[in-house]
Amino acid sequence: MNKEVKLEDIVSLAKRRGFIYQGSEVYGGLSGTWDYGPLGVALKRNIMNLWWQMFVEDRDDMYGVDAAILMNQKVWQASGHVDTFTDPLVECSNCHARHRQDKLEDANKCPTCGQTGTFGEARAFNMMFKTNVGPVADESSISYLRPETAQGIFTNYKNVVDSFYPDLPFGIAQQGKAFRNEISPRDFVFRSREFEQMEVEYFVHPEKWEEAFEQWRKDIEVFLDKLGLPRESVEEVEVPENDRAHYSKRTIDYEFAFPHGKDELLGLAYRTDFDLGNIQRVSGKTMEYRVKGSDETFVPHVIEPSFGVERALMAVLTSAYREDEQNGEKRIYLALPEHLAPVKYAVSPLLKNKPELVEKAREVYQMLKKKYGAVMWDDNGNIGKRYRRQDEIGTPHCVVIDFQTLEDGTVTVRDRDTTEQRRVEATVLYQ
Ligand code: ATP
């Protein structure tokens, strides 16, 4: 990995090349929100699809769901979020800036105005966005934008068991938006107020949680490899008991070497029967699982791997970002794994004012597009400029159609990482 990747390099590339823009930018922005441009949405989807394929489609013990973002307020009362989903908030009496106390470098010094001793007592700030459902705004219509996708899984556990009666262990997976009113959104998309999660709740026999936990550690490693993250940039950090959520008996935070420093990429937690137990208690409905062919019943325990899409995307960009020199000039390129690249092939005619070249190039373009979908037509500027642009967005192959193509059907294919060019029969590319 390129050790000196700076956050501003990633932010500037992301904006310049149409990956990620500030949310509501034309109106001065909205803090903690981001909009994905054409290439960003493609990269994000490729990451999410990879996850879905590996953790849902390729397995026979997993069930996907897509629950509503708005849920009955009882969900968040039972889960403990209404009372305890808080961060410690301090306000500076000098400049009135508000900060998250546990993320301050110096707990006594305001990072905004530099004064010390200006913070009073921290207060617990609840991070859920509150709203009302329906035309009457009263206590009974209160709802929240979900701060995690997990609860939409737990509330559907019984439905999935009743419809499919899966053997234990089995998992339910969900991808989708989550919202947290973070006190200080920062570090680009790393800490946003609206973001996306990919979560699995894996239901196990209470005595078998340890083996499932170990298996998840292995599966996570495989996924991180597929994202192209170098092993040495990820560290498993065992969370000590006093730092763990009260319901968790074991948690590993996976920390990645982001440009802003080592920070949480994803979490793996053993959540015991905390959530299903709460649902059972508050709803009055049984969450017990009966083992097939026996009278043994119990509330399953849960292992939860919880991935954040934005953090995965930032880790992917950080790992792929490269600078080198080509013909005496600085070059920036993204060495993305091919399966994640937003564009797989870029196709150009050598000269755009030669109709016979354009026509042939269009033909090759159409054939490649049919095969790969993510293929870009690029005839802007000279070939050198096109290569530059494609390098910056991580396109692995650039195909150029020239006069020789008209004679023998061969094209030039240029490799992003080595910049080497080879001549191949065009048909070989899309057969
Ligand atoms: P942090 O300590 O960084 O606030 P957390 O421990 O509260 O994170 P979890 O509640 O474990 O986060 O959420 C699971 C995953 O969701 C995180 O590992 C992360 O990938 C993602 N995530 C959480 N909060 C945010 C956020 N504000 N912006 C982007 N991703 C987030």
Side-chain angles (χ1 to χ4, degrees):
M1 189 172 64
N2 188 337
K3 290 262 180 311
E4 289 102 58
V5 182
K6 294 191 211 65
L7 190 59
E8 59 260 36
D9 292 336
I10 304 263
V11 177
S12 128
L13 175 89
K15 171 152 190 185
R16 189 169 69 245
R17 291 296 179 210
F19 282 86
I20 302 173
Y21 311 111
Q22 197 189 352
S24 314
E25 194 177 4
V26 273
Y27 290 111
L30 179 67
S31 171
T33 66
W34 299 94
D35 293 345
Y36 285 80
L39 298 176
V41 71
L43 177 57
K44 188 160 109 158
R45 285 221 174 137
N46 290 343
I47 293 171
M48 293 175 81
N49 290 344
L50 181 72
W51 187 93
W52 193 263
Q53 190 187 346
M54 181 176 159
F55 292 122
V56 183
E57 288 175 357
D58 288 353
R59 299 176 58 138
D60 45 24
D61 59 347
M62 296 288 278
Y63 297 79
V65 294
D66 186 14
I69 287 174
L70 294 172
M71 303 176 86
N72 190 308
Q73 55 175 286
K74 286 186 186 149
V75 169
W76 308 110
Q77 289 160 1
S79 66
H81 282 80
V82 171
D83 290 333
T84 61
F85 194 61
T86 57
D87 274 341
L89 171 74
V90 283
E91 185 172 343
C92 171
S93 59
N94 180 48
C95 72
H96 300 289
R98 290 169 180 193
H99 298 283
R100 185 171 150 182
Q101 189 189 41
D102 59 332
K103 295 279 173 189
L104 289 172
E105 259 172 45
D106 177 345
N108 252 327
K109 185 172 172 187
C110 174
T112 309
C113 68
Q115 293 275 319
T116 48
T118 53
F119 292 140
E121 279 278 292
R123 79 176 166 88
F125 172 75
N126 194 299
M127 289 198 285
M128 287 198 292
F129 284 98
K130 206 175 194 177
T131 188
N132 290 91
V133 176
V136 184
D138 62 13
E139 284 295 303
S140 69
S141 67
I142 290 174
S143 186
Y144 304 90
L145 299 186
R146 67 180 179 205
E148 60 172 35
T149 57
Q151 294 305 321
I153 296 179
F154 288 122
T155 48
N156 279 294
Y157 154 81
K158 191 83 175 74
N159 289 334
V160 172
V161 169
D162 289 348
S163 306
F164 300 91
Y165 202 3
D167 286 325
L168 279 186
F170 74 93
I172 306 181
Q174 174 164 235
Q175 299 185 330
K177 292 270 186 178
F179 304 82
R180 296 184 188 180
N181 198 3
E182 295 279 355
I183 295 169
S184 319
R186 60 170 68 179
D187 303 318
F188 198 29
V189 297
F190 179 88
R191 189 171 300 286
S192 314
R193 290 188 166 130
E194 174 176 340
F195 55 99
E196 222 145 345
Q197 289 185 315
M198 310 183 281
E199 296 194 298
V200 171
E201 305 305 328
Y202 198 67
F203 301 97
V204 300
H205 189 287
E207 278 154 25
K208 301 217 169 123
W209 74 269
E210 271 156 318
E211 61 191 80
F213 196 95
E214 289 312 315
Q215 187 56 47
W216 272 104
R217 285 178 65 190
K218 294 194 184 114
D219 293 346
I220 288 170
E221 203 167 276
V222 173
F223 180 71
L224 299 182
D225 283 347
K226 288 187 182 180
L227 288 184
L229 314 189
R231 290 260 170 112
E232 65 275 13
S233 63
V234 182
E235 195 187 334
E236 289 190 13
V237 179
E238 196 75 50
V239 180
E241 193 179 345
N242 53 337
D243 285 344
R244 283 198 300 258
H246 55 287
Y247 50 77
S248 174
K249 289 264 171 64
R250 186 174 179 196
T251 298
I252 293 179
D253 281 349
Y254 285 72
E255 295 195 344
F256 178 80
F258 288 101
H260 67 270
K262 272 207 155 184
D263 218 333
E264 180 178 329
L265 168 64
L266 68 108
L268 175 65
Y270 168 42
R271 291 179 77 119
T272 67
D273 59 353
F274 176 79
D275 300 273
L276 290 183
N278 281 339
I279 294 178
Q280 182 164 270
R281 183 171 46 75
V282 177
S283 72
K285 302 204 171 82
T286 178
M287 294 293 128
E288 288 199 333
Y289 179 91
R290 191 175 56 76
V291 177
K292 279 178 202 162
S294 106
D295 290 335
E296 190 187 4
T297 58
F298 50 83
V299 174
H301 281 215
V302 168
I303 310 293
E304 178 194 70
S306 176
F307 299 76
V309 178
E310 283 71 11
R311 293 187 187 182
L313 188 140
M314 258 182 83
V316 165
L317 287 177
T318 307
S319 306
Y321 187 92
R322 304 270 196 291
E323 285 178 9
D324 66 2
E325 228 184 76
Q326 291 296 333
N327 309 322
E329 274 185 56
K330 181 180 140 185
R331 168 177 87 127
I332 295 172
Y333 67 106
L334 290 181
L336 292 170
E338 182 149 353
H339 54 272
L340 295 183
V343 177
K344 314 290 183 217
Y345 282 84
V347 182
S348 351
L350 181 66
L351 301 166
K352 70 176 183 183
N353 56 1
K354 296 282 176 215
E356 61 275 35
L357 290 186
V358 174
E359 192 185 331
K360 184 67 192 165
R362 280 276 169 205
E363 194 185 305
V364 173
Y365 167 74
Q366 291 300 348
M367 296 303 283
L368 281 170
K369 201 156 180 67
K370 215 181 209 170
K371 176 154 184 193
Y372 296 102
V375 177
M376 191 186 268
W377 175 262
D378 188 356
D379 61 4
N380 262 333
N382 62 34
I383 290 287
K385 282 216 177 97
R386 294 176 209 166
Y387 286 159
R388 261 228 157 186
R389 195 160 46 233
Q390 296 301 330
D391 284 345
E392 278 206 323
I393 66 172
T395 306
H397 317 284
C398 288
V399 177
V400 176
I401 281 73
D402 56 19
F403 292 106
Q404 196 181 328
T405 315
L406 304 179
E407 280 166 28
D408 62 9
T410 62
V411 295
T412 308
V413 183
R414 186 252 193 193
D415 180 87
R416 173 196 66 198
D417 299 342
T418 62
T419 74
E420 268 164 28
Q421 303 186 16
R422 61 199 168 98
R423 266 205 103 85
V424 295
E425 296 262 347
T427 49
V428 171
L429 300 175
Y430 44 74
Q431 254 162 12

